[in-house]
Amino acid sequence: MTFKEKLSKRIYVPLYRNYIRTRKKIILEKELDKLFRWLLAQGECEWVEYKLNFHSPEEIGQDLSALSNGACLKKESRAYLIFGIKEENEKFDIPGTGFKPKSKKIGNEPLENWLVQQLSPKTDFVIHEFEFKESINIVIFEIHPAQNVPLEFQRKSFIRIGSVSRELREFPDKARQIWLNRNLNPFELEIAKNNLTASEVVNLLDTSGYFQMMKLPYPVTQKSVLEKFESDRLVIWDKGSYSITNLGALLFALEFDRFPKISRKKIRVVQFEGRNKLKIIRNQQGMRGYAIGFNGLMTYINGLLPTNEII
């Protein structure tokens, strides 16, 4: 490699990586902005709660339990706890919040890890921090609904009654409904991202890659594309908008990070030095869905293998 090529690589590779990171951040903030506006339209209910600022970790834990159990009762795919909204005389203002949950610690332990340890059974939740409009900081906790059993915080279950979180044991009928409200959908058919337009679905999933793999001609209209995806249960049309299932996202996501609920399931290839796991040489994470990223994955792995095999 010549000096000019080395200099070009040293200058332009970091710039390109920074461009990719900036682009991903802009796309994610647009999606969060849309989610936030949709949640404002829902208003506070059994599975949506507004707060202004942080008070205590115990209050957050109780609210997550109450909202998750409420989402189970209402058969909602997710529950949401939102910081940055002020309520006065039944009217809402959006001044934003100074709460930064991703950097908040309880003792020496990050808040997120502390909450995970206090919730039972173990459940997934995602914390979103973003700017709404101009420098208005918003935080959204997004949590799965309880399944089969009520979600507990510090061995107590909660439920939202009006705008207050109360202990579930005070409402045995609601507790009974949660125990009976079993989720019959397998993980693959749960919702990875909802409230989408047809164009947004096409921008999130590699639709052309799907038709190439199926050896089918690409349809002329978006409607025909999505009808095919619906038939394979990769997307769902419901209440005037589209939802992408976990199956659709896992197989055909253009960027895994745009699906926070399943981002931890991205493919990871680790190359170790020698025959033990003491020293890692490479740690590569796949950013595309399993189906459309498979060929690239195999090419990457084959590139790591030695040219000559020693028998």
PDB file of all heavy atoms in Angstrom, residues 2 8 22 50 58 64 85 90 123 136 139 151-152 155 197 203 209 231 280 299 301:
ATOM      1  N   THR A   2       0.612   2.144  -0.901  1.00  0.00           N
ATOM      2  CA  THR A   2       1.410   3.364  -1.014  1.00  0.00           C
ATOM      3  C   THR A   2       1.086   4.324   0.118  1.00  0.00           C
ATOM      4  O   THR A   2       0.073   4.187   0.821  1.00  0.00           O
ATOM      5  CB  THR A   2       1.149   4.058  -2.358  1.00  0.00           C
ATOM      6  OG1 THR A   2      -0.223   4.503  -2.381  1.00  0.00           O
ATOM      7  CG2 THR A   2       1.399   3.111  -3.524  1.00  0.00           C
ATOM      8  N   SER A   8      -5.087   8.195   2.649  1.00  0.00           N
ATOM      9  CA  SER A   8      -6.497   8.259   2.269  1.00  0.00           C
ATOM     10  C   SER A   8      -7.340   7.388   3.189  1.00  0.00           C
ATOM     11  O   SER A   8      -8.419   7.787   3.642  1.00  0.00           O
ATOM     12  CB  SER A   8      -6.665   7.800   0.819  1.00  0.00           C
ATOM     13  OG  SER A   8      -8.028   7.794   0.460  1.00  0.00           O
ATOM     14  N   THR A  22     -23.853   8.800  12.350  1.00  0.00           N
ATOM     15  CA  THR A  22     -24.749   9.971  12.342  1.00  0.00           C
ATOM     16  C   THR A  22     -26.053   9.636  11.625  1.00  0.00           C
ATOM     17  O   THR A  22     -27.140  10.002  12.094  1.00  0.00           O
ATOM     18  CB  THR A  22     -24.061  11.158  11.653  1.00  0.00           C
ATOM     19  OG1 THR A  22     -22.833  11.442  12.316  1.00  0.00           O
ATOM     20  CG2 THR A  22     -24.952  12.387  11.692  1.00  0.00           C
ATOM     21  N   TYR A  50     -47.259   9.133  31.957  1.00  0.00           N
ATOM     22  CA  TYR A  50     -46.414  10.306  31.763  1.00  0.00           C
ATOM     23  C   TYR A  50     -45.828  10.752  33.111  1.00  0.00           C
ATOM     24  O   TYR A  50     -46.512  10.738  34.135  1.00  0.00           O
ATOM     25  CB  TYR A  50     -47.222  11.484  31.210  1.00  0.00           C
ATOM     26  CG  TYR A  50     -47.949  11.232  29.921  1.00  0.00           C
ATOM     27  CD1 TYR A  50     -49.117  11.928  29.617  1.00  0.00           C
ATOM     28  CD2 TYR A  50     -47.474  10.316  28.987  1.00  0.00           C
ATOM     29  CE1 TYR A  50     -49.798  11.715  28.428  1.00  0.00           C
ATOM     30  CE2 TYR A  50     -48.145  10.098  27.796  1.00  0.00           C
ATOM     31  CZ  TYR A  50     -49.305  10.799  27.524  1.00  0.00           C
ATOM     32  OH  TYR A  50     -49.977  10.587  26.344  1.00  0.00           O
ATOM     33  N   GLU A  58     -37.313   2.988  42.999  1.00  0.00           N
ATOM     34  CA  GLU A  58     -38.425   2.130  43.415  1.00  0.00           C
ATOM     35  C   GLU A  58     -39.717   2.520  42.703  1.00  0.00           C
ATOM     36  O   GLU A  58     -40.509   1.658  42.310  1.00  0.00           O
ATOM     37  CB  GLU A  58     -38.626   2.218  44.940  1.00  0.00           C
ATOM     38  CG  GLU A  58     -37.542   1.556  45.763  1.00  0.00           C
ATOM     39  CD  GLU A  58     -36.279   2.395  45.866  1.00  0.00           C
ATOM     40  OE1 GLU A  58     -36.340   3.609  45.532  1.00  0.00           O
ATOM     41  OE2 GLU A  58     -35.241   1.848  46.282  1.00  0.00           O
ATOM     42  N   LEU A  64     -43.126   0.148  36.148  1.00  0.00           N
ATOM     43  CA  LEU A  64     -42.880  -0.843  35.093  1.00  0.00           C
ATOM     44  C   LEU A  64     -43.719  -2.098  35.331  1.00  0.00           C
ATOM     45  O   LEU A  64     -44.278  -2.676  34.390  1.00  0.00           O
ATOM     46  CB  LEU A  64     -41.396  -1.208  35.040  1.00  0.00           C
ATOM     47  CG  LEU A  64     -40.438  -0.117  34.561  1.00  0.00           C
ATOM     48  CD1 LEU A  64     -39.000  -0.617  34.570  1.00  0.00           C
ATOM     49  CD2 LEU A  64     -40.814   0.383  33.171  1.00  0.00           C
ATOM     50  N   ILE A  85     -42.943  15.008  30.521  1.00  0.00           N
ATOM     51  CA  ILE A  85     -44.282  15.567  30.315  1.00  0.00           C
ATOM     52  C   ILE A  85     -44.842  16.053  31.649  1.00  0.00           C
ATOM     53  O   ILE A  85     -44.797  15.333  32.648  1.00  0.00           O
ATOM     54  CB  ILE A  85     -45.237  14.521  29.698  1.00  0.00           C
ATOM     55  CG1 ILE A  85     -44.677  14.028  28.356  1.00  0.00           C
ATOM     56  CG2 ILE A  85     -46.635  15.104  29.517  1.00  0.00           C
ATOM     57  CD1 ILE A  85     -45.521  12.958  27.708  1.00  0.00           C
ATOM     58  N   GLU A  90     -55.409  18.641  34.141  1.00  0.00           N
ATOM     59  CA  GLU A  90     -55.771  17.701  33.077  1.00  0.00           C
ATOM     60  C   GLU A  90     -55.262  18.134  31.703  1.00  0.00           C
ATOM     61  O   GLU A  90     -55.741  17.661  30.681  1.00  0.00           O
ATOM     62  CB  GLU A  90     -57.292  17.487  33.031  1.00  0.00           C
ATOM     63  CG  GLU A  90     -57.847  16.888  34.318  1.00  0.00           C
ATOM     64  CD  GLU A  90     -59.329  16.601  34.213  1.00  0.00           C
ATOM     65  OE1 GLU A  90     -59.927  16.986  33.188  1.00  0.00           O
ATOM     66  OE2 GLU A  90     -59.880  15.990  35.145  1.00  0.00           O
ATOM     67  N   THR A 123     -37.687  -9.925  32.415  1.00  0.00           N
ATOM     68  CA  THR A 123     -38.376  -9.438  31.212  1.00  0.00           C
ATOM     69  C   THR A 123     -37.511  -8.399  30.514  1.00  0.00           C
ATOM     70  O   THR A 123     -36.633  -7.792  31.133  1.00  0.00           O
ATOM     71  CB  THR A 123     -39.736  -8.823  31.583  1.00  0.00           C
ATOM     72  OG1 THR A 123     -40.469  -8.523  30.397  1.00  0.00           O
ATOM     73  CG2 THR A 123     -39.564  -7.555  32.404  1.00  0.00           C
ATOM     74  N   ILE A 136     -35.504  19.477  23.689  1.00  0.00           N
ATOM     75  CA  ILE A 136     -36.436  18.964  24.699  1.00  0.00           C
ATOM     76  C   ILE A 136     -36.109  17.487  24.898  1.00  0.00           C
ATOM     77  O   ILE A 136     -36.389  16.653  24.028  1.00  0.00           O
ATOM     78  CB  ILE A 136     -37.905  19.143  24.249  1.00  0.00           C
ATOM     79  CG1 ILE A 136     -38.219  20.630  24.074  1.00  0.00           C
ATOM     80  CG2 ILE A 136     -38.845  18.515  25.267  1.00  0.00           C
ATOM     81  CD1 ILE A 136     -39.621  20.901  23.569  1.00  0.00           C
ATOM     82  N   VAL A 139     -37.445  10.811  27.653  1.00  0.00           N
ATOM     83  CA  VAL A 139     -37.023   9.441  27.974  1.00  0.00           C
ATOM     84  C   VAL A 139     -38.243   8.534  27.902  1.00  0.00           C
ATOM     85  O   VAL A 139     -39.302   8.865  28.446  1.00  0.00           O
ATOM     86  CB  VAL A 139     -36.401   9.369  29.383  1.00  0.00           C
ATOM     87  CG1 VAL A 139     -36.156   7.923  29.786  1.00  0.00           C
ATOM     88  CG2 VAL A 139     -35.104  10.164  29.431  1.00  0.00           C
ATOM     89  N   LEU A 151     -46.061  -9.477  36.431  1.00  0.00           N
ATOM     90  CA  LEU A 151     -44.691  -9.029  36.612  1.00  0.00           C
ATOM     91  C   LEU A 151     -44.565  -8.407  38.001  1.00  0.00           C
ATOM     92  O   LEU A 151     -45.351  -7.542  38.377  1.00  0.00           O
ATOM     93  CB  LEU A 151     -44.316  -8.001  35.543  1.00  0.00           C
ATOM     94  CG  LEU A 151     -42.881  -7.470  35.623  1.00  0.00           C
ATOM     95  CD1 LEU A 151     -41.877  -8.573  35.321  1.00  0.00           C
ATOM     96  CD2 LEU A 151     -42.683  -6.309  34.650  1.00  0.00           C
ATOM     97  N   GLU A 152     -43.566  -8.848  38.751  1.00  0.00           N
ATOM     98  CA  GLU A 152     -43.348  -8.365  40.107  1.00  0.00           C
ATOM     99  C   GLU A 152     -42.140  -7.436  40.177  1.00  0.00           C
ATOM    100  O   GLU A 152     -41.171  -7.613  39.426  1.00  0.00           O
ATOM    101  CB  GLU A 152     -43.119  -9.543  41.071  1.00  0.00           C
ATOM    102  CG  GLU A 152     -44.306 -10.466  41.221  1.00  0.00           C
ATOM    103  CD  GLU A 152     -44.028 -11.594  42.204  1.00  0.00           C
ATOM    104  OE1 GLU A 152     -42.831 -11.832  42.509  1.00  0.00           O
ATOM    105  OE2 GLU A 152     -44.985 -12.229  42.674  1.00  0.00           O
ATOM    106  N   ARG A 155     -40.741  -8.527  44.580  1.00  0.00           N
ATOM    107  CA  ARG A 155     -41.681  -9.564  45.047  1.00  0.00           C
ATOM    108  C   ARG A 155     -43.099  -9.056  45.270  1.00  0.00           C
ATOM    109  O   ARG A 155     -43.893  -9.697  45.944  1.00  0.00           O
ATOM    110  CB  ARG A 155     -41.152 -10.230  46.326  1.00  0.00           C
ATOM    111  CG  ARG A 155     -39.810 -10.913  46.142  1.00  0.00           C
ATOM    112  CD  ARG A 155     -39.388 -11.649  47.378  1.00  0.00           C
ATOM    113  NE  ARG A 155     -38.097 -12.314  47.183  1.00  0.00           N
ATOM    114  CZ  ARG A 155     -37.490 -13.067  48.099  1.00  0.00           C
ATOM    115  NH1 ARG A 155     -38.074 -13.233  49.280  1.00  0.00           N
ATOM    116  NH2 ARG A 155     -36.327 -13.619  47.837  1.00  0.00           N
ATOM    117  N   THR A 197     -46.078   2.928   8.160  1.00  0.00           N
ATOM    118  CA  THR A 197     -46.672   3.054   6.831  1.00  0.00           C
ATOM    119  C   THR A 197     -46.026   2.026   5.903  1.00  0.00           C
ATOM    120  O   THR A 197     -45.006   1.408   6.244  1.00  0.00           O
ATOM    121  CB  THR A 197     -46.442   4.455   6.259  1.00  0.00           C
ATOM    122  OG1 THR A 197     -45.031   4.658   6.074  1.00  0.00           O
ATOM    123  CG2 THR A 197     -46.985   5.522   7.197  1.00  0.00           C
ATOM    124  N   ASN A 203     -38.563   0.504   3.846  1.00  0.00           N
ATOM    125  CA  ASN A 203     -37.272   1.069   4.217  1.00  0.00           C
ATOM    126  C   ASN A 203     -36.596   0.317   5.354  1.00  0.00           C
ATOM    127  O   ASN A 203     -35.385   0.452   5.560  1.00  0.00           O
ATOM    128  CB  ASN A 203     -37.428   2.538   4.615  1.00  0.00           C
ATOM    129  CG  ASN A 203     -37.737   3.436   3.424  1.00  0.00           C
ATOM    130  OD1 ASN A 203     -37.328   3.141   2.308  1.00  0.00           O
ATOM    131  ND2 ASN A 203     -38.469   4.514   3.657  1.00  0.00           N
ATOM    132  N   GLY A 209     -34.400  -8.322  -1.539  1.00  0.00           N
ATOM    133  CA  GLY A 209     -33.669  -9.536  -1.203  1.00  0.00           C
ATOM    134  C   GLY A 209     -34.598 -10.712  -0.981  1.00  0.00           C
ATOM    135  O   GLY A 209     -34.280 -11.855  -1.352  1.00  0.00           O
ATOM    136  N   SER A 231     -48.643 -12.660   3.748  1.00  0.00           N
ATOM    137  CA  SER A 231     -48.962 -14.075   3.584  1.00  0.00           C
ATOM    138  C   SER A 231     -47.949 -14.975   4.281  1.00  0.00           C
ATOM    139  O   SER A 231     -48.282 -16.078   4.713  1.00  0.00           O
ATOM    140  CB  SER A 231     -49.030 -14.434   2.090  1.00  0.00           C
ATOM    141  OG  SER A 231     -47.750 -14.339   1.482  1.00  0.00           O
ATOM    142  N   ILE A 280      -9.218 -12.589  22.390  1.00  0.00           N
ATOM    143  CA  ILE A 280     -10.060 -12.387  21.214  1.00  0.00           C
ATOM    144  C   ILE A 280      -9.286 -11.591  20.159  1.00  0.00           C
ATOM    145  O   ILE A 280      -8.728 -10.536  20.462  1.00  0.00           O
ATOM    146  CB  ILE A 280     -11.355 -11.637  21.590  1.00  0.00           C
ATOM    147  CG1 ILE A 280     -12.199 -12.495  22.534  1.00  0.00           C
ATOM    148  CG2 ILE A 280     -12.155 -11.282  20.342  1.00  0.00           C
ATOM    149  CD1 ILE A 280     -13.440 -11.798  23.037  1.00  0.00           C
ATOM    150  N   THR A 299     -19.082 -15.635   3.697  1.00  0.00           N
ATOM    151  CA  THR A 299     -17.899 -15.063   3.033  1.00  0.00           C
ATOM    152  C   THR A 299     -16.919 -14.529   4.070  1.00  0.00           C
ATOM    153  O   THR A 299     -15.692 -14.729   3.950  1.00  0.00           O
ATOM    154  CB  THR A 299     -18.328 -13.931   2.082  1.00  0.00           C
ATOM    155  OG1 THR A 299     -19.224 -14.450   1.099  1.00  0.00           O
ATOM    156  CG2 THR A 299     -17.115 -13.314   1.398  1.00  0.00           C
ATOM    157  N   ILE A 301     -16.614 -15.522   7.270  1.00  0.00           N
ATOM    158  CA  ILE A 301     -16.013 -16.644   8.003  1.00  0.00           C
ATOM    159  C   ILE A 301     -14.963 -17.346   7.144  1.00  0.00           C
ATOM    160  O   ILE A 301     -13.867 -17.674   7.622  1.00  0.00           O
ATOM    161  CB  ILE A 301     -17.099 -17.637   8.450  1.00  0.00           C
ATOM    162  CG1 ILE A 301     -17.996 -16.986   9.515  1.00  0.00           C
ATOM    163  CG2 ILE A 301     -16.474 -18.919   9.006  1.00  0.00           C
ATOM    164  CD1 ILE A 301     -19.169 -17.829   9.943  1.00  0.00           C
TER     165      ILE A 301
END
